[in-house]
Amino acid sequence: MSNLRHAYLTWRPAGHLPGCRRPAWDVQTLTVERPGGMSELAMRAVCWGCGTVHDLTAHLAPNTNPDPGAGDPGIDTGAEEMRSEAHLRLTATWVTGYG
């Protein structure tokens, strides 16, 4: 049941401003690979009807300070050895310069 709940029931629609006459999203993605194994992943959803913008950005970096019991700290073994942080911002097109 938890898989069903996660796949369908816990998601919420991204909000538009009240009275939006054209509630639709223009969604764009961005992936940037940086030196040293760092990556930035971003997704932006813009509604041209009401001017709402949802920005989601995630930064992934190799874990350079792993748990001492996890093995050799100098070896990057994959995604489980990555540090990450994410930022979600709700704003407007006139603030971001999109509209």
Side-chain angles (χ1 to χ4, degrees), residues 23-78:
W25 296 109
D26 178 11
V27 179
Q28 302 165 352
T29 60
L30 172 70
T31 303
V32 179
E33 299 291 330
R34 303 209 185 273
M38 297 180 64
S39 299
E40 181 176 333
L41 310 170
M43 180 177 284
R44 175 175 62 206
V46 179
C47 176
W48 301 111
C50 64
T52 301
V53 177
H54 293 271
D55 276 326
L56 175 63
T57 305
H59 300 275
L60 300 172
N63 188 358
T64 57
N65 191 18
D67 183 287
D72 184 351
I75 299 174
D76 181 12
T77 60

Side-chain angles (χ1 to χ4, degrees), residues 14-21 23 25 47 49-54 90-92 94:
H16 292 269
L17 291 178
C20 180
R21 292 183 279 184
W25 296 109
C47 176
C50 64
T52 301
V53 177
H54 293 271
L90 175 62
T91 187
W94 64 270

